[in-house]
Amino acid sequence: MTATSLQNDLIKTVDHLHFYLKQAMMIEHATLPPYITALYSMKPNTNLEAFHILRAVAVEEMLHLTLAANVFNAVGGEIKSVFTNPDFIPQYPTFLPTGETDFKVGLNKFSRDTVKTFLKIERANEVDKGQPLVVPRKTTNNLLTIHNREPHYSFYSIGQFYAEIIRGLHALYAEMGDDLFCGDLSKQVTPEYYYDGGGEIIPVTDLPSAIRALREIQEQGEGSGKERIYDGDRELSHFYRFQQLLLNDDGDENYGQYYVVNEDEPEKSDRPGYPSGGKFKVDWDAVYPIKDNVKLSDYPEGSEVYEAAQEFQSAYSKFLAQIEFSFNGHPEKLLPAVGGMFHLKYQAERLVKNPIPGIDGVHAAPVYRVD
Amino acid sequence: MSIDRSQLMKHFLDFSVVVTGFSKFNLQGTDQVAAYYATIEKVVGDEILAELLRTFHRLAEQATGNQLIMDRGMRTDIFGSEKLGPIARNIIKLWYVATWYQLPQSWRDNFGVKENDVTFVVSPQAYPEGLLWPAIGVNPPAAKAPGYGTWSSPPVITLR
């Protein structure tokens, strides 16, 4: 690292680092409800290609969440009450906790507009390798008010946000050496506790493993920038996966087109914006008309839909509590917790198939946050 | 959809709640209401189906919420009816195992052989939605996976 990076005014202390890593876990989680809501809204046995594209991304977000928790635990963060904090689940529609303020993320059905928002979440912005310093933009908008340290700073993308964490890690390591990694090793989620969930789980014990874990998140999310469609594992990055749903060379909105990544010679892969793979049907109408950004209070009290939504909400809180517990020294509890996600899925599927009593043609949807 | 048919479809949902013991929310949660309605219509024809549902609706109106009167009416006018009884029983089976079973020979002798009246599974989507699975608290085999490794934990049973 260059000397200039040490002069950056963002991450200067271990407390700052903890703050950013907590935000990282919030961001990774904050994308999950929007992605899985869109997934649940698709009618069964339709849009198989789109379903798989969305599902694979959601699974990787779970991996990212776990990787961020590993880094947080490794540098001595206190994970208890991170996931169980009521504000861990944002109130949708929301700005992302990175502080991006040019778009909001909501809980919406699968649609072209929804996918366009997903593209913004995952948008690529080249971080110059020679200049790992990230320049925050000052904004005046109100952001999520969960952490009040630097409310007027914002990053353009999630990738830039991670670049700052990586820079901060380097800087603190230069000051503290191995003392930085003072976390309890038994809190690391290692591969035997993680089932092939969209990539490699990296136990974090030192600087190189911490950097690798963060780079994995950064690269799966955004790829390596505007020039390339693939990530460090030579897989299509999230941004371009979503883009496949909106692009094809005929311009027909009812078809998407796959990008081709050449794994042996990645530089021969498709160029951004020009997929050359097979086309697939996207049926934008085979979707349940769920209510946007639904809250429990949108359902008539006492109705079955209300009860089912409430049940989902409490099951979701329980799921987060189980995840937190497993990240807090009980990694063997992670797989059963993820099994709980499948149960959640079936609960959600019943909801989206039910119209909201009294509102014609509008269906129910899962409620995540306790308001 | 004609007004009459959409009204009958509502009666069908109410009828299904009574004969399956599952709530409206759970039945709609399978997204099979319209598919089953169309299946029965296709097999026995819209007239007989309408007769069944109108009979049910009349019973419900007469019972005005009295469970005992409703039960008795269901037994005598529907399940005791040579014509409607076998169809009502078939509808229960349809909901539970997503399969239409060929009507009994006696019914076919009396009311005519219907071209589509053979035993068949309604659709690949219907199979995992059978009420049998939630009724016994298991996941439908080869569908609705419970998640990797969950076989090492106690089953999650929700009887609804």
Side-chain angles (χ1 to χ4, degrees):
Chain A
M1 297 298 291
T2 60
T4 50
S5 65
L6 297 174
Q7 293 162 9
N8 188 283
D9 62 353
L10 287 170
I11 297 178
K12 286 188 293 194
T13 67
V14 172
D15 271 356
H16 290 165
L17 180 64
H18 288 171
F19 164 68
Y20 275 91
L21 285 167
K22 262 191 221 175
Q23 277 197 312
M25 289 183 276
M26 290 178 70
I27 293 162
E28 297 304 335
H29 168 266
T31 59
L32 262 182
Y35 290 164
I36 61 183
T37 298
L39 261 178
Y40 296 149
S41 76
M42 294 179 179
K43 292 191 176 175
N45 294 52
T46 64
N47 282 320
L48 292 185
E49 295 84 356
F51 184 89
H52 282 290
I53 288 171
L54 251 74
R55 184 181 181 280
V57 172
V59 168
E60 289 189 3
E61 300 300 347
M62 271 302 294
L63 172 76
H64 296 175
L65 188 59
T66 311
L67 289 171
N70 269 358
V71 178
F72 183 67
N73 274 327
V75 295
E78 174 55 76
I79 202 125
K80 194 161 165 45
S81 79
V82 170
F83 289 67
T84 45
N85 181 331
D87 284 326
F88 185 72
I89 306 174
Q91 192 157 21
Y92 297 99
T94 180
F95 294 114
L96 286 181
T98 47
E100 292 163 283
T101 56
D102 55 337
F103 71 99
K104 279 188 178 184
V105 181
L107 304 173
N108 308 95
K109 67 174 185 177
F110 176 68
S111 70
R112 288 181 70 85
D113 281 343
T114 300
V115 174
K116 282 177 192 163
T117 303
F118 292 173
L119 280 174
K120 286 183 187 155
I121 295 174
E122 305 282 354
R123 71 181 151 203
N125 189 51
E126 189 73 39
V127 180
D128 189 337
K129 293 273 189 303
Q131 283 202 321
L133 275 182
V134 172
V135 183
R137 297 177 301 157
K138 284 200 175 186
T139 67
T140 52
N141 298 39
N142 281 330
L143 308 175
L144 284 178
T145 54
I146 308 143
H147 304 85
N148 285 314
R149 288 248 172 81
E150 275 121 8
H152 53 283
Y153 284 116
S154 107
F155 298 100
Y156 178 71
S157 71
I158 295 178
Q160 285 191 329
F161 170 81
Y162 280 109
E164 168 55 21
I165 297 180
I166 290 171
R167 187 208 60 77
L169 268 172
H170 277 292
L172 289 170
Y173 187 78
E175 272 177 41
M176 303 167 61
D178 289 332
D179 289 350
L180 179 59
F181 295 92
C182 60
D184 181 349
L185 281 180
S186 71
K187 293 187 178 177
Q188 291 297 311
V189 175
T190 48
E192 68 264 38
Y193 298 116
Y194 204 88
Y195 168 70
D196 186 30
E200 192 192 357
I201 190 79
I202 300 162
V204 176
T205 53
D206 52 14
L207 186 64
S209 52
I211 305 291
R212 268 180 60 221
L214 294 167
R215 287 242 186 268
E216 171 112 1
I217 303 177
Q218 207 182 11
E219 293 197 344
Q220 277 193 336
E222 311 203 26
S224 307
K226 280 179 181 159
E227 304 302 315
R228 293 198 263 136
I229 59 170
Y230 52 91
D231 63 19
D233 297 334
R234 298 183 178 184
E235 283 178 356
L236 193 59
S237 62
H238 291 185
F239 181 88
Y240 295 106
R241 285 194 210 181
F242 284 139
Q243 207 186 37
Q244 296 175 122
L245 297 167
L246 302 179
L247 282 183
N248 91 63
D249 50 22
D250 303 334
D252 183 341
E253 292 194 350
N254 296 312
Y255 286 87
Q257 188 169 9
Y258 285 117
Y259 274 115
V260 177
V261 176
N262 186 326
E263 285 187 27
D264 298 325
E265 297 174 82
E267 59 284 352
K268 289 188 178 164
S269 301
D270 287 345
R271 304 286 302 159
Y274 301 95
S276 71
K279 290 177 188 173
F280 56 87
K281 178 120 181 67
V282 184
D283 187 349
W284 300 102
D285 294 326
V287 176
Y288 294 107
I290 60 167
K291 187 166 169 58
D292 293 328
N293 302 308
V294 77
K295 295 189 293 292
L296 200 54
S297 54
D298 291 324
Y299 302 124
E301 228 171 297
S303 66
E304 277 195 87
V305 169
Y306 182 95
E307 280 171 25
Q310 197 172 35
E311 202 179 292
F312 180 93
Q313 183 188 56
S314 84
Y316 194 78
S317 299
K318 193 175 147 210
F319 164 69
L320 289 179
Q322 286 171 331
I323 296 279
E324 180 181 289
F325 183 71
S326 67
F327 289 164
N328 201 14
H330 306 92
E332 75 285 357
K333 298 289 183 200
L334 187 57
L335 277 179
V338 173
M341 267 196 102
F342 284 81
H343 191 60
L344 280 171
K345 175 180 178 241
Y346 304 129
Q347 283 181 303
E349 283 175 353
R350 278 208 300 269
L351 274 167
V352 301
K353 290 169 183 168
N354 268 277
I356 301 178
I359 312 179
D360 239 11
V362 179
H363 281 212
V367 175
Y368 300 87
R369 186 185 149 102
V370 181
D371 277 312
Chain B
M1 197 191 310
S2 69
I3 296 168
D4 198 35
R5 194 169 184 267
S6 86
Q7 192 58 46
L8 285 174
M9 189 100 70
K10 278 186 190 143
H11 294 342
F12 175 64
L13 182 57
D14 292 337
F15 173 77
S16 298
V17 169
V18 171
V19 297
T20 62
F22 275 80
S23 71
K24 212 181 252 194
F25 175 80
N26 282 296
L27 295 185
Q28 287 187 140
T30 67
D31 204 18
Q32 298 302 318
V33 180
Y36 290 162
Y37 187 94
T39 298
I40 304 158
E41 206 177 30
K42 196 181 80 184
V43 177
V44 303
D46 49 3
E47 276 180 30
I48 296 179
L49 178 57
E51 186 183 336
L52 169 70
L53 296 175
R54 291 211 174 92
T55 304
F56 167 77
H57 186 60
R58 174 177 56 76
L59 290 171
E61 286 199 322
Q62 285 168 354
T64 57
N66 185 319
Q67 195 62 45
L68 211 67
I69 295 175
M70 187 66 194
D71 277 359
R72 193 173 301 150
M74 290 289 287
R75 277 175 211 284
T76 54
D77 291 9
I78 293 183
F79 287 102
S81 154
E82 254 183 87
K83 188 180 189 184
L84 303 180
I87 296 168
R89 279 184 273 279
N90 256 20
I91 291 175
I92 300 174
K93 288 190 268 187
L94 189 60
W95 274 109
Y96 273 81
V97 286
T99 304
W100 175 268
Y101 287 91
Q102 189 177 58
L103 286 160
Q105 192 58 46
S106 56
W107 196 94
R108 294 154 67 86
D109 290 344
N110 287 328
F111 304 103
V113 175
K114 305 283 181 185
E115 191 190 344
N116 296 315
D117 181 24
V118 291
T119 299
F120 63 95
V121 176
V122 172
S123 72
Q125 291 88 299
Y127 155 74
E129 299 298 341
L131 301 179
L132 161 70
W133 314 116
I136 62 173
V138 300
N139 288 70
K144 297 200 176 182
Y148 175 80
T150 48
W151 46 82
S152 64
S153 327
V156 184
I157 296 178
T158 47
L159 293 175
R160 319 183 35 110

